[in-house]
Amino acid sequence: MTQLLKDKVALVTGGASGIGYETARSFLREGARVMIGDINLEQGRKVAEELSSLGDIAFVENNVTAEASCQNAVEHTVKRFGRLDIAVNNAGVIGETKPLLELSAEGWQRTMNININGVFFGLKAQVNQMLATGGSIINLASIASKIATPSCADYITSKHAVDGLTKAAALDYATMGIRINSVGPGVIETPLLGTIGQTKDAQGSIKHAIGMHPMGRVGKVGEVANLITWLASDQASFCTGGYYPINGGYLAQ
Ligand SMILES: NC(=O)c1ccc[n+]([C@@H]2O[C@H](COP(=O)([O-])OP(=O)(O)OC[C@H]3O[C@@H](n4cnc5c(N)ncnc54)[C@H](O)[C@@H]3O)[C@@H](O)[C@H]2O)c1
C-alpha cells in the first residue's frame, strides 16, 4: 500500500507524550522522517529511541516559548533530514484550572506563552523554511477553541487564539504552497488529563467536559493522529485555514 507521507520530513513539537507521540508514530508508519521536539529531554530521547524501529526519527530540545529555540528546532531538522515538509505545533498545557478570580498572573502568562506564543514562534520559523518548498502545518486547537468550560479561562482563551492565528496565517501564505490548519480534539485520554488540578472546580470542569461527548466516551490519541496525518498529506491538498473537529459529536449540540 502507498504510504501517505513517503519521503516527507516532519517536525512535531511536544512530541514526547500523548498526541504528539502518537502523531510521530503515525508519521513514521506512513513513511516520513520525523524530528520530535520537547522540553522533557529524558522522555524525548526515550521516545525517539523507542520509535526508531519504525523509521528515521530524532529528538531535539525545544522550548516553544522561546523564538530562538523554535528557529533552532527547524534548523536542526533541516540539517538532519535535508528539508521540512510538515510541522505540527502540538506542545501545550492545560493551565491552572481555577475560576477566573483565582488565576494568577504568572499562571495566565505561562499558559499563553506555551499554548499561543509557542504556536506563533513555531509558525514563523516553519513558514520561513517552507517558503521555498511549500508544506503543511497543523496546530493543536481544541473544542476549547469554540466553546468554554468552567475553571479554564486561560486554556480557553489560548485555544480560541490558536484558531484565529491558524486562519490568519493560512491566508498570508495560501498562494505560496503552504497549508495551515488546526485540529480540535474533544477530551482525549493522554497524560495531560493527569495534570488537571485536584480542586472541586477543576475536577467538576473535566467531568462536565467528559460527560458532554455524545458518543459516550473520550477520544484516543490514535484517532487524533489519523486526522493530523491526513491533513499533513497531499490528500488534503485543497485544505487550508480550516478547523477540523474531532470530538465524538461534542460541538454538534
Ligand atoms: N488531551 C486532550 O484532551 C486534548 C484535547 C484537546 C487539545 N489538546 C491539545 O493537544 C496538545 C497535546 O496535548 P496532550 O494531551 O498530548 O498533552 P501531553 O501533556 O501528553 O503532552 C504535551 C507535551 O508538550 C510538552 N511541552 C510542554 N511545554 C512545552 C514547551 N514549553 N515546549 C515544548 N514542549 C512542551 C510536554 O513535555 C509534553 O511532552 C496540546 O496542545 C493540548 O492542548 C489535548
Side-chain angles (χ1 to χ4, degrees):
M1 219 167 71
T2 323
Q3 290 176 304
L4 274 180
L5 306 179
K6 193 163 166 32
D7 298 330
K8 301 220 186 255
V9 172
L11 168 65
V12 181
T13 76
S17 173
I19 293 169
Y21 168 87
E22 196 59 28
T23 298
R25 211 153 80 93
S26 172
F27 282 3
L28 287 168
R29 277 198 308 257
E30 292 300 334
R33 285 168 289 161
V34 180
M35 181 68 70
I36 54 172
D38 210 289
I39 38 164
N40 188 336
L41 308 190
E42 197 187 329
Q43 184 66 13
R45 289 190 186 115
K46 196 170 135 213
V47 158
E49 173 68 33
E50 193 180 306
L51 294 181
S52 63
S53 59
L54 293 177
D56 211 348
I57 182 166
F59 171 75
V60 62
E61 177 176 1
N62 176 213
N63 181 348
V64 298
T65 66
E67 185 164 14
S69 178
C70 294
Q71 181 61 39
N72 178 61
V74 167
E75 282 168 13
H76 200 77
T77 308
V78 174
K79 201 164 157 208
R80 170 72 192 254
F81 295 127
R83 50 189 290 126
L84 180 71
D85 305 293
I86 299 162
V88 183
N89 291 305
N90 163 77
V93 290
I94 189 72
E96 290 185 324
T97 53
K98 290 176 180 165
L100 183 82
L101 288 182
E102 292 169 34
L103 284 180
S104 69
E106 295 75 25
W108 173 273
Q109 210 57 61
R110 176 174 181 265
T111 305
M112 295 306 150
N113 280 341
I114 299 171
N115 289 7
I116 184 63
N117 295 351
V119 177
F120 171 60
F121 294 144
L123 281 171
K124 281 187 74 178
Q126 297 148 9
V127 165
N128 189 45
Q129 176 61 35
M130 288 176 182
L131 283 175
T133 55
S136 174
I137 302 176
I138 298 102
N139 299 325
L140 262 291
S142 167
I143 45 173
S145 300
K146 300 292 181 183
I147 48 98
T149 51
S151 298
C152 278
D154 52 348
Y155 187 73
I156 301 285
T157 304
S158 70
K159 290 298 178 179
H160 272 63
V162 169
D163 184 33
L165 176 57
T166 301
K167 289 191 275 196
L171 295 189
D172 285 347
Y173 299 98
T175 60
M176 298 182 206
I178 303 174
R179 299 185 295 101
I180 306 174
N181 293 286
S182 69
V183 296
V187 179
I188 309 298
E189 190 67 56
T190 75
L192 179 129
L193 297 188
T195 65
I196 291 170
Q198 290 305 312
T199 64
K200 214 165 111 243
D201 285 321
Q203 288 301 312
S205 179
I206 187 67
K207 248 196 206 131
H208 166 82
I210 289 172
M212 287 286 286
H213 292 70
M215 285 178 85
R217 66 170 177 88
V218 298
K220 300 181 183 124
V221 281
E223 293 172 317
V224 182
N226 286 343
L227 176 58
I228 295 172
T229 302
W230 182 78
L231 279 169
S233 80
D234 294 338
Q235 298 264 313
S237 52
F238 200 48
C239 299
T240 199
Y243 165 89
Y244 290 81
I246 173 159
N247 57 43
Y250 197 117
L251 294 179
Q253 304 163 103

